[in-house]
Amino acid sequence: MVAASDYQEPNVVLLGGPGAGKGTQAEKLLEDRDMQHLATGDILRDEVDKGTELGLEAKKYMDKGELVPDDLVVDMVQKRLTDQKGYLFDGFPRTIDQAKALDDVVDLDLVAYIKISESEAVRRLSSRRVCSDCGKIFNTIFKPPEREGVCDECGGDLYQRDDDKPKVIRDRFETFLDETAPLIDFYRERGLLEEIDGEQEPDEVQKDIKSALHQGTG
Ligand code: AMP
């Protein structure tokens, strides 16, 4: 029997196109799980804000809805891996080469593929707003803040990401289809993939992810 103290959190990838709800689902999952959240988009935006060398380089790609080169992203992720189990990868990997690099260092328990259509992605992302202080995600249509432009959680200013403008959203979706969608078969062949209907209510999506986690990890 495994004692409660021996319990180890699983290693999970949240896979999905732009607007699939990866960030929202990660936030919910972390409410009652002690996992290490690695959201490459958040880390990269932070590097851009700080004006680091990596941030300046990454911005060129992010502004166009393209992927930041694999070597930069893999190096950035590897630097943040400790020896502990229980990673929640959000927005990583996004290419087969990134997935292979991850394979070398982490044993995954589940890849939850959150699936939504392109029209739904455009609808959601064009109304998405993010808190500039705590990163909490709002949506002017589905989940408006109590006071317009102000975070309910911390009072920070809400902003629209530069890459949430309609033209860039469509480019990001193209990038997803060309470069990230091949990961669906890659992980399905390894028996790790669970497909989740991302167009349900967020709580229903969360239920499906949790039930996939229970099935996949006992
Ligand atoms: P996200 O916040 O996950 O939507 O990511 C925003 C942008 O950051 C993407 O459109 C990419 O330009 C870049 N990005 C995030 N994660 C990765 C990754 N794993 N590989 C390459 N580029 C990434």
Side-chain angles (χ1 to χ4, degrees):
M1 199 172 79
V2 180
S5 58
D6 292 337
Y7 175 77
Q8 291 208 308
E9 293 285 9
N11 292 319
V12 177
V13 168
L14 295 180
L15 178 68
K22 300 184 294 294
T24 301
Q25 294 303 325
E27 223 175 67
K28 285 181 184 288
L29 207 54
L30 292 167
E31 281 169 13
D32 49 26
R33 285 192 170 257
D34 188 20
M35 299 172 81
Q36 189 183 334
H37 186 204
L38 274 171
T40 43
D42 289 349
I43 302 170
L44 287 167
R45 273 185 294 280
D46 194 44
E47 297 282 337
V48 172
D49 288 347
K50 287 185 187 141
T52 64
E53 203 178 315
L54 168 61
L56 291 175
E57 183 63 18
K59 189 173 181 341
K60 297 183 205 159
Y61 300 91
M62 295 169 79
D63 282 350
K64 290 188 280 186
E66 292 173 6
L67 294 185
V68 175
D70 287 336
D71 53 339
L72 297 181
V73 177
V74 167
D75 183 56
M76 180 182 93
V77 170
Q78 275 170 349
K79 281 189 181 135
R80 286 168 172 79
L81 294 179
T82 55
D83 260 347
Q84 280 166 331
K85 213 175 180 252
Y87 293 107
L88 180 57
F89 294 102
D90 164 357
F92 179 88
R94 260 175 154 104
T95 63
I96 296 280
D97 280 347
Q98 291 180 15
K100 287 182 178 160
L102 183 62
D103 232 12
D104 290 342
V105 283
V106 173
D107 270 334
L108 292 176
D109 297 291
L110 174 73
V111 177
Y113 167 41
I114 310 173
K115 188 175 176 184
I116 65 162
S117 64
E118 178 172 358
S119 55
E120 179 66 11
V122 175
R123 204 162 74 91
R124 288 183 183 180
L125 293 182
S126 40
S127 47
R128 172 163 74 179
R129 299 293 181 272
V130 185
C131 175
S132 53
D133 285 344
C134 72
K136 198 168 171 66
I137 304 162
F138 293 86
N139 187 293
T140 55
I141 301 169
F142 319 110
K143 193 187 164 197
E146 278 171 26
R147 274 179 57 208
E148 200 186 321
V150 180
C151 177
D152 293 349
E153 206 81 1
C154 74
D157 289 338
L158 303 185
Y159 75 103
Q160 181 173 38
R161 281 171 41 173
D162 286 341
D163 60 353
D164 278 348
K165 310 278 158 69
K167 159 85 175 77
V168 188
I169 293 172
R170 273 189 288 274
D171 290 344
R172 287 163 65 201
F173 207 85
E174 283 296 305
T175 303
F176 169 73
L177 293 178
D178 291 346
E179 301 189 56
T180 308
L183 290 179
I184 298 165
D185 280 343
F186 178 90
Y187 284 125
R188 190 177 279 131
E189 280 159 19
R190 285 164 170 71
L192 288 169
L193 194 91
E194 220 23 84
E195 191 168 308
I196 314 268
D197 174 3
E199 297 199 9
Q200 309 175 86
E201 287 301 311
D203 284 344
E204 297 302 310
V205 176
Q206 180 71 188
K207 261 191 220 156
D208 287 355
I209 294 175
K210 283 193 170 143
S211 97
L213 258 176
H214 290 307
Q215 284 160 23
T217 61

